[in-house]
């Protein structure tokens, strides 16, 4: 069967690989229909993703069809359409035993730390599949991106009376915005890129946006929008350490700051005036939980999340290698590109 491998940064290769095996106990054989491309794939392509190893078959945002199941599988059956929870956890570490499967100590994310779904068929643990009778394969491929935002907002625990500030309106920030809005809290979005803020206002119908260049004007605007209180929950989805350091200054007293973006650089801030005086919580948000996938499928089925604005680019499997470099350029307006396999 055909597959696409990232041999090394900036070098994809079309491969013929061995046909996927028959599913063993607890496993399912799947046909891959749609693959979403996200910042992780782009960073892996550009050689900027620290957790990415090469060569690697990418693909962790998958819309799949069940072809066959192994012994003991009861949650799915042949013909089911599913989204894949791509975090392959061990099931017995300290995190897994307490239900925090998103941060398993030896987690291997498909397509990042082990080979993923950029191929025609794949065998996966059936427990990682989330079925929908209604969603298209393309919508199912979008569920994982949304799950990152869902988990980040859950980490921030916004109340309906509170303000949530989302910093960074890339695909991850947009997924955070969906759930901030659904929480009922007043949502404000900050970015340095006006094109991304316009998308938020027009497509996600969140009117309050702040264009920042980091000169302090953004703090004044946030103060106005929050009637002087600042944001009870700040979610930083930039992945930039300067923004993540600055984010403490946007938090209200007793606020919660969630880092969903990832940086390898140091974050620094003054402890006394920001963290201590305001008694802030700083929380990380990694991956997502099984319940997030179930909830998102229901929200899309009920029409509470509209997936239409999300998917901006498509490519057939056979043309992906050629078009992929364009998807790395923000000026092409890519939010979510989807690869069509079958
Ligand atoms: N927590 C997780 O499990 C998880 C999963 C996937 C991705 N991520 C991380 O989420 C982050 C965001 O991913 P993405 O694909 O949306 O990235 P992206 O680069 O597309 O978006 C980042 C946005 O932040 C904005 N930005 C950058 N610096 C800023 C600043 N100082 N102030 C305001 N805005 C600023 C950019 O203009 C851009 O719109 C990355 O660090 C990525 O690694 C985390
Ligand atoms: Zn992703
Ligand atoms: Zn584990």
């Amino acid at each position: 069967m055909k597959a696409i491998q990232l041999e090394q940064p900036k070098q994809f290769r079309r491969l013929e690989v061995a046909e996927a095996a028959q599913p063993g106990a607890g496993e399912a054989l799947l046909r891959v229909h749609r693959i979403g491309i996200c910042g992780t794939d782009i960073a892996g392509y550009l050689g900027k993703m620290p957790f990415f190893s090469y060569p690697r078959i990418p693909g962790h945002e998958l819309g799949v069809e069940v072809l066959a199941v192994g012994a003991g599988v009861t949650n799915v059956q042949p013909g089911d359409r599913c989204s894949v929870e791509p975090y392959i956890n061990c099931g017995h570490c300290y995190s897994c035993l307490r239900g925090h499967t998103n941060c398993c100590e030896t987690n291997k994310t498909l397509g990042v730390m082990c080979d993923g779904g950029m191929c025609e068929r794949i065998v996966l643990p059936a427990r990682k599949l989330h079925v929908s009778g209604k969603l298209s394969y393309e919508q199912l491929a979008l569920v994982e991106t949304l799950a990152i935002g869902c988990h980040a907002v859950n980490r921030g625990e916004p109340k309906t009376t509170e303000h949530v500030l989302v910093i960074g309106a890339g695909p991850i920030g947009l997924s955070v915005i969906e759930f901030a809005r659904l929480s009922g809290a007043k949502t404000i979005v900050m970015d340095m890129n006006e094109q991304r803020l316009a998308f938020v206002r027009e497509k996600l119908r969140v009117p309050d946006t702040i264009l920042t260049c980091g000169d302090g004007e953004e703090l004044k605007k946030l103060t106005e929008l929050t009637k002087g209180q600042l944001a009870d929950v700040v979610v930083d989805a930039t992945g930039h350490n300067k923004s993540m350091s600055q984010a403490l200054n946007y938090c209200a007293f007793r606020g919660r700051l969630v880092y969903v973006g990832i940086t390898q650089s140091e974050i620094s801030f003054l402890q006394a005036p920001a963290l201590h005086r305001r008694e802030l919580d700083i929380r990380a948000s990694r991956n997502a939980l099984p319940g997030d996938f179930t909830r998102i499928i229901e929200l899309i089925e009920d029409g509470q999340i509209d997936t239409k604005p999300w998917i901006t680019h498509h490519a057939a499997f056979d043309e992906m290698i050629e078009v992929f470099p364009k998807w790395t350029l923000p000026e092409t307006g890519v939010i979510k590109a989807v690869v069509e396999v079958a």
Side-chain angles (χ1 to χ4, degrees):
M1 65 169 178
K2 55 189 183 183
I4 292 175
Q5 187 187 59
L6 192 53
E7 272 189 301
Q8 56 182 357
K10 299 198 175 170
Q11 201 172 319
F12 277 117
R13 188 160 74 105
R14 176 74 189 271
L15 290 181
E16 279 299 318
V17 295
E19 186 54 54
Q22 282 306 304
E27 293 180 334
L29 171 65
L30 310 164
R31 182 191 304 283
V32 180
H33 282 266
R34 294 289 183 278
I35 308 162
I37 301 296
C38 86
T40 305
D41 302 298
I42 290 171
Y45 174 78
L46 296 174
K48 291 182 180 166
M49 174 75 192
F51 310 130
F52 214 99
S53 53
Y54 307 85
R56 175 71 55 235
I57 296 177
H60 62 278
E61 303 185 359
L62 306 174
V64 302
E65 174 189 356
V66 178
L67 296 178
V69 296
V73 172
T74 54
N75 64 323
V76 291
Q77 57 187 33
D80 281 349
R81 290 199 298 263
C82 308
S83 171
V84 174
E85 188 193 325
Y87 325 118
I88 308 299
N89 65 306
C90 77
H92 50 74
C93 72
Y94 189 52
S95 289
C96 284
L97 289 176
R98 290 177 302 152
H100 307 302
T101 53
N102 61 312
C103 54
C104 167
E105 290 168 25
T106 55
N107 169 67
K108 289 212 181 305
T109 299
L110 280 179
V112 181
M113 295 119 161
C114 59
D115 280 343
M118 205 166 273
C119 55
E120 291 177 280
R121 285 166 291 279
I122 189 169
V123 172
L124 289 177
R127 65 191 169 91
K128 292 289 166 186
L129 301 173
H130 298 274
V131 183
S132 168
K134 287 192 190 164
L135 301 194
S136 67
Y137 289 118
E138 188 163 276
Q139 289 175 312
L140 288 164
L142 188 64
V143 173
E144 195 267 347
T145 296
L146 289 165
I148 302 295
C150 178
H151 186 64
V153 172
N154 288 344
R155 294 284 290 143
E157 300 177 277
K159 299 182 187 67
T160 50
T161 51
E162 292 184 329
H163 289 94
V164 178
L165 171 68
V166 182
I167 313 174
I172 297 299
L174 296 177
S175 75
V176 172
I177 294 165
E178 292 277 11
F179 295 91
R181 192 175 51 81
L182 285 166
S183 77
K186 185 148 190 271
T187 304
I188 302 164
V189 183
M190 186 186 286
D191 201 298
M192 299 157 68
N193 177 334
E194 175 50 29
Q195 190 192 350
R196 290 211 149 160
L197 293 177
F199 184 92
V200 167
R201 291 190 300 269
E202 288 156 23
K203 306 285 185 179
L204 298 191
R205 299 182 307 280
V206 173
D208 292 322
T209 61
I210 302 175
L211 182 65
T212 179
C213 60
D215 62 356
E217 282 302 308
E218 80 287 355
L219 185 59
K220 283 190 202 154
K221 181 101 191 273
L222 181 69
T223 307
E224 275 167 35
L225 286 171
T226 57
K227 301 189 174 61
Q229 303 303 307
L230 300 177
D232 304 277
V233 177
V234 176
V235 182
D236 195 300
T238 65
H240 286 268
N241 67 323
K242 294 251 161 54
S243 172
M244 292 163 90
S245 302
Q246 176 66 16
L248 278 87
N249 301 318
Y250 305 141
C251 293
F253 279 71
R254 293 280 295 173
R256 284 88 68 202
L257 169 58
V258 179
Y259 290 143
V260 67
I262 306 167
T263 181
Q264 295 290 320
S265 306
E266 209 163 83
I267 296 172
S268 59
F269 50 82
L270 294 174
Q271 192 269 352
L275 189 75
H276 171 80
R277 187 161 168 269
R278 300 183 197 185
E279 204 181 43
L280 303 181
D281 279 342
I282 300 183
R283 302 175 186 178
S285 179
R286 182 177 179 196
N287 297 338
L289 290 164
D292 299 327
F293 284 73
T294 318
R295 178 177 170 219
I296 291 160
I297 288 171
E298 285 170 8
L299 287 168
I300 303 176
E301 285 180 349
D302 292 353
Q304 293 193 59
I305 293 179
D306 178 9
T307 57
K308 265 190 251 86
W310 277 86
I311 297 159
T312 52
H313 291 66
H314 289 91
F317 192 82
D318 291 333
E319 63 181 13
M320 192 214 76
I321 295 179
E322 197 186 320
V323 300
F324 196 95
K326 284 194 208 123
W327 295 343
T328 66
L329 307 171
E331 58 270 29
T332 54
V334 178
I335 303 294
K336 179 63 60 190
V338 173
V339 180
E340 300 169 355
V341 188

